Amino acid sequence: MNMTPPRTRIQRKNRKTILDAALEVFSQHGFRGATLDQIATQSGLSKPNLLYYFPSKEVVHITLLSTLMETWLDPLREMDPDGDPVEEILAYVRRKLEMSRDFPRESRLFANEIVQGAPRMQTALATDLKGLVDDKAVVLRAWADAGKIAAVDPHHLIFSIWALTQHYADFDVQVQAVLGPDRDPYAEAEAFLRTLFTKLLAP
Amino acid sequence: MNMTPPRTRIQRKNRKTILDAALEVFSQHGFRGATLDQIATQSGLSKPNLLYYFPSKEVVHITLLSTLMETWLDPLREMDPDGDPVEEILAYVRRKLEMSRDFPRESRLFANEIVQGAPRMQTALATDLKGLVDDKAVVLRAWADAGKIAAVDPHHLIFSIWALTQHYADFDVQVQAVLGPDRDPYAEAEAFLRTLFTKLLAP
DNA sequence: CCTGATCTTGACCGGATGGTCAAACCGCAA
DNA sequence: TTGCGGTTTGACCATCCGGTCAAGATCAGG
């Protein structure tokens, strides 16, 4: 059966169901820690049925990663070279933090993969990701050279945005454990990060 | 056999060998992804011999986590309430970054565990970690109230230090992929982070 | 209603994996 | 040499897990 693109209504629905269940399970246990039975149970399908829609566990995982990679990079793509520099960067930070808040599973899926050496993403990192980041680094450097923002290394600026925003999704249990139950991590993080990047970027 | 504390010279040596091999394997593959055979091979011992020194895979893992937790928190403990505030915080950032550079396996071991919900560390996080952080948060708040550093949320300040420094160890492949082979991530990070925190903390 | 294609599943398979055990091995003191 | 802790291991076991398969259920078009 050729699965690209899906033909029938039923195929579209079931593939979507499976990918959602797989996201839940993979993001919680990592590739190796997740089992087909868990994904099958989570999706409400039988294991053989799951393997009717995807040829193997690995293909499910890879499908998830490549599908979500696009979404994941969108906030950075939206950073407009013609906009106001500080505003654009702060907006990027805000969008990225919202993604951590609204899509923590996606964040953890990538975190799991990358912490373990990204065995199934190497090429995507070195091509798509590096390409986009290098592009935006040029923009950031131009802004710095024009005195619109402070002169900071563009790549490390981007790393700092990733690190600070994804931390709240990836290390959620730790954040919760340290802050206790009566606080709102994301609301506080938004204020904190706005302050941090405002101060960092002021020329 | 009672293993606490280890009796003979041979026991101390072998337990150490095993824990080092386990750190290598667990940090690379996570708990579920690591196998006893891998750890046995890595340590140069046979699998049954390994299980002569530790009763189960999980005990090896837990032993690693609790042993390393101490080391991991040391840099924060060293932050001196009586020192110069900005200097103390910058020194903490530097120590933490050095730990990422010199002990990336330890960093990834924790990252793996926490991303997956810290199933074997919950209590340690809520007691040891929260306790220490809350202590230091009091110190930071006092510094802020005294006008020695800018008024930022102490907990999120600590989170930001963790996020920014551990990022270079935990997401090493990504950093390498984006920066390319001809740069020195840690040297650059040290300069970038000094700038960042200097600006953030200036009263 | 009939028929062929699509979808679903219980039963099963082979290999991996955590863990056990009895036997062997080793260094050393009497 | 013998005896005795402490140490090491080959062989083995039960379970888990990714994946297969053949047969049955369901659905859409005529």
Side-chain angles (χ1 to χ4, degrees), chain A residues 5-13 53:
Chain A
R7 309 283 161 75
T8 72
R9 198 183 317 111
I10 248 178
Q11 280 193 26
R12 255 190 301 278
K13 187 187 63 134
Y53 290 102

Side-chain angles (χ1 to χ4, degrees), chain A residues 45-57:
Chain A
L45 300 177
S46 67
K47 185 169 59 166
N49 201 9
L50 191 155
L51 287 163
Y52 171 75
Y53 290 102
F54 293 89
S56 72
K57 177 183 172 182

Side-chain angles (χ1 to χ4, degrees), chain A residues 171-189:
Chain A
F171 294 81
D172 177 59
V173 273
Q174 195 181 63
V175 170
Q176 299 275 353
V178 169
L179 284 186
D182 297 326
R183 297 178 64 169
D184 182 345
Y186 283 104
E188 297 173 12

Side-chain angles (χ1 to χ4, degrees), chain B:
Chain B
M1 178 195 304
N2 185 359
M3 280 294 182
T4 47
R7 308 283 163 75
T8 72
R9 199 181 317 109
I10 244 178
Q11 280 194 25
R12 256 191 301 278
K13 186 185 64 129
N14 280 348
R15 280 179 63 97
K16 199 146 181 52
T17 304
I18 291 169
L19 287 175
D20 188 71
L23 173 58
E24 184 72 26
V25 176
F26 281 136
S27 67
Q28 210 160 86
H29 305 285
F31 178 74
R32 190 60 162 51
T35 72
L36 285 178
D37 287 288
Q38 283 175 299
I39 300 173
T41 300
Q42 178 80 24
S43 65
L45 300 176
S46 67
K47 185 168 60 165
N49 200 9
L50 192 155
L51 286 163
Y52 170 75
Y53 290 101
F54 293 90
S56 72
K57 177 184 174 183
E58 191 170 20
V59 168
V60 177
H61 194 244
I62 292 175
T63 303
L64 262 185
L65 288 176
S66 38
T67 304
L68 296 175
M69 179 68 108
E70 292 305 299
T71 318
W72 209 239
L73 293 181
D74 276 345
L76 181 53
R77 279 204 201 83
E78 287 173 31
M79 204 174 68
D80 181 5
D82 299 324
D84 176 75
V86 174
E87 281 304 311
E88 285 298 323
I89 297 172
L90 288 179
Y92 174 45
V93 172
R94 207 180 316 116
R95 282 195 297 270
K96 203 77 177 53
L97 187 63
E98 279 163 9
M99 296 204 66
S100 281
R101 186 192 59 199
D102 299 336
F103 306 103
R105 300 182 305 176
E106 284 80 349
S107 191
R108 282 189 211 112
L109 182 81
F110 285 124
N112 262 304
E113 183 67 7
I114 292 173
V115 168
Q116 304 193 359
R120 283 165 283 273
M121 281 181 77
Q122 298 269 16
T123 55
L125 294 184
T127 57
D128 297 9
L129 182 65
K130 179 171 168 49
L132 176 61
V133 170
D134 283 346
D135 277 3
K136 295 302 181 180
V138 170
V139 174
L140 291 170
R141 172 142 299 148
W143 285 343
D145 288 346
K148 303 291 183 83
I149 62 172
V152 295
D153 183 289
H155 286 98
H156 289 273
L157 174 59
I158 292 175
F159 290 159
S160 71
I161 295 173
W162 292 348
L164 288 166
T165 55
Q166 294 177 8
H167 185 82
Y168 289 93
D170 300 344
F171 295 82
D172 177 59
V173 272
Q174 194 181 64
V175 169
Q176 300 275 354
V178 169
L179 284 186
D182 298 325
R183 296 179 63 170
D184 183 344
Y186 283 104
E188 298 173 12
E190 209 221 302
F192 178 83
L193 295 185
R194 188 173 52 243
T195 305
L196 188 154
F197 282 105
T198 302
K199 290 190 178 190
L200 173 63
L201 295 173

Side-chain angles (χ1 to χ4, degrees), chain A residues 70-83 87-89 91-92 95-96 98-99 132 136 143:
Chain A
E70 293 304 299
T71 317
W72 210 240
L73 294 181
D74 276 345
L76 181 53
R77 280 204 200 84
E78 287 173 32
M79 204 174 68
D80 181 5
D82 300 324
E87 281 305 311
E88 285 298 323
I89 296 171
Y92 174 46
R95 281 195 298 271
K96 203 76 177 54
E98 279 164 9
M99 296 204 67
L132 177 60
K136 295 302 182 180
W143 285 342

